[in-house]
Amino acid sequence: MALGQAKKEEIMSITMKDIAQIVGVSESTVSRAINNKPGVGEKTRKEILKVANKYNFSPNQLARNLAKQESKMIGLILPDISSLFYSEVARAIQDFALKKGYQVVICNTDGAREQENNYIEWLQSNQIAGAIFLGDRLVSNQIMKLGLSDYPVVLANRLVEGVTLPSVIIDNTSGAYKAMEHLLDKNYQNIALINGPQDNWQAQNRLRGYKQALKDFNLEFNSNLVLHQEWDRESGYQGFLELVKLEEPPEAIFAANDLIAAGVVEAIKMGGYLVPQDIAVVGFEDTVVTSIIDPPLTTVAQPMYQMGTQAVNKLFTLIEDDVRGEEIEILDCELIIREST
């Protein structure tokens, strides 16, 4: 291979990440500048375009063409369609999409990163107008690159580090605070938290709300009262059995989702205790599970249907108008007081 040819191939292989490093900005800023989107200073835009022109960079035309083709299909990539939370969000997305004349292709990943990447490749090789990524994990580099390539991507209940993509998330910290504030206002002080996995960003934010409420009520944080489990009923059941062995068992339990709460209530009853007379319980989500728990569960209601509606609305704004609008939309939660407290 001739030296000139090698240099040409090296020049043609430059990426937005390379340009971002050269100019000293984020990839999202490079994407905006190259695609003539707002939000970039004129001086910075000129520097980015100068580097892009120098190295003959051109955006991913495949993704751009896919975005503009009238396939009348959008993709919804999620980890578990059987989840009550995800199914409610998915229903809202489908309801809205049908009104717009679009079909929703649901891609279930079972939480596997490899499967998610396979779906991303499939989106890029088929005429799918855009995609919503729904879940509870930080997004992968593949999703980030897809979003920065000018292909319509919206995140629902997911976050991305380093760049900003159109997103709809729930204020988990505020929701957890409301649950704790309710219990503390009712003079419960020794309150346990049975939370989701420690590396899960939702669980981290719910723990943050739990801690902040304790601090605001001048109570010390006790790590023995916090358990990190899975998001299922068994975790609630086993979690209660562990907490009840403490020298000072909790007076109330904040369960980080309704399935955990269901397991807690079941274990409390099996142990011969009463809810809320002996131990109060608060959940988080307000799914159909709350209607089958006895007594009816006090819980933090997440706006699941609204999340789906807002996410798909953002996606169609990208597809039809090529306008990003507000990047991150944060939805508030509402405390629903029932008989478990």
Side-chain angles (χ1 to χ4, degrees), residues 244-261:
V244 80
K245 295 176 184 177
L246 294 174
E247 186 175 339
E248 294 187 23
E251 305 167 303
I253 296 176
F254 170 31
N257 78 354
D258 290 344
L259 280 176
I260 294 175

Side-chain angles (χ1 to χ4, degrees), residues 108-330:
N108 193 88
T109 68
D110 291 322
R113 185 78 78 184
E114 181 180 357
Q115 185 60 30
E116 184 175 78
N117 292 339
N118 290 338
Y119 282 129
I120 291 173
E121 292 180 9
W122 177 80
L123 289 170
Q124 291 179 294
S125 60
N126 291 273
Q127 295 183 356
I128 306 301
I132 296 172
F133 289 87
L134 171 63
D136 60 2
R137 301 171 59 183
L138 294 174
V139 305
S140 64
N141 289 333
Q142 285 77 5
I143 297 176
M144 183 178 69
K145 289 177 181 178
L146 185 66
L148 293 174
S149 70
D150 213 26
Y151 182 84
V153 167
V154 171
L155 308 179
N157 206 47
R158 298 190 70 170
L159 293 177
V160 58
E161 293 181 326
V163 299
T164 303
L165 296 176
S167 311
V168 182
I169 62 174
I170 288 170
D171 192 339
N172 289 279
T173 302
S174 173
Y177 188 97
K178 290 176 181 178
M180 286 295 294
E181 184 179 39
H182 170 65
L183 291 172
L184 291 163
D185 280 340
K186 293 181 75 67
N187 296 319
Y188 294 108
Q189 294 191 352
N190 200 34
I191 304 171
L193 168 63
I194 303 180
N195 205 359
Q198 198 161 7
D199 61 351
N200 181 280
W201 72 269
Q202 289 184 112
Q204 292 168 1
N205 285 334
R206 289 172 196 178
L207 176 60
R208 187 173 293 113
Y210 171 88
K211 287 182 174 180
Q212 186 61 51
L214 291 175
K215 181 179 179 181
D216 289 350
F217 278 75
N218 299 313
L219 295 173
E220 290 187 7
F221 171 71
N222 181 357
S223 60
N224 292 327
L225 289 172
V226 176
L227 302 179
H228 288 281
Q229 311 274 21
E230 296 301 319
W231 302 104
D232 55 28
R233 185 200 62 80
E234 185 63 21
S235 293
Y237 191 97
Q238 295 300 329
F240 173 78
L241 296 182
E242 184 174 339
L243 290 168
V244 80
K245 295 176 184 177
L246 294 174
E247 186 175 339
E248 294 187 23
E251 305 167 303
I253 296 176
F254 170 31
N257 78 354
D258 290 344
L259 280 176
I260 294 175
V264 169
V265 171
E266 182 182 359
I268 289 173
K269 290 180 177 180
M270 291 292 291
Y273 301 97
L274 297 176
V275 179
Q277 291 88 339
D278 297 317
I279 303 172
V281 181
V282 176
F284 201 112
E285 279 182 344
D286 198 33
T287 59
V288 68
V289 171
T290 62
S291 66
I292 60 176
I293 294 178
D294 181 30
L297 183 69
T298 295
T299 191
V300 178
Q302 295 187 107
M304 295 171 282
Y305 197 89
Q306 183 185 1
M307 167 176 275
T309 300
Q310 296 299 96
V312 72
N313 185 53
K314 281 181 178 290
L315 185 65
F316 283 122
T317 300
L318 286 171
I319 293 171
E320 298 176 352
D321 303 326
D322 197 28
V323 176
R324 297 181 79 91
E326 184 182 4
E327 292 289 3
I328 299 179
E329 184 175 357
I330 303 176

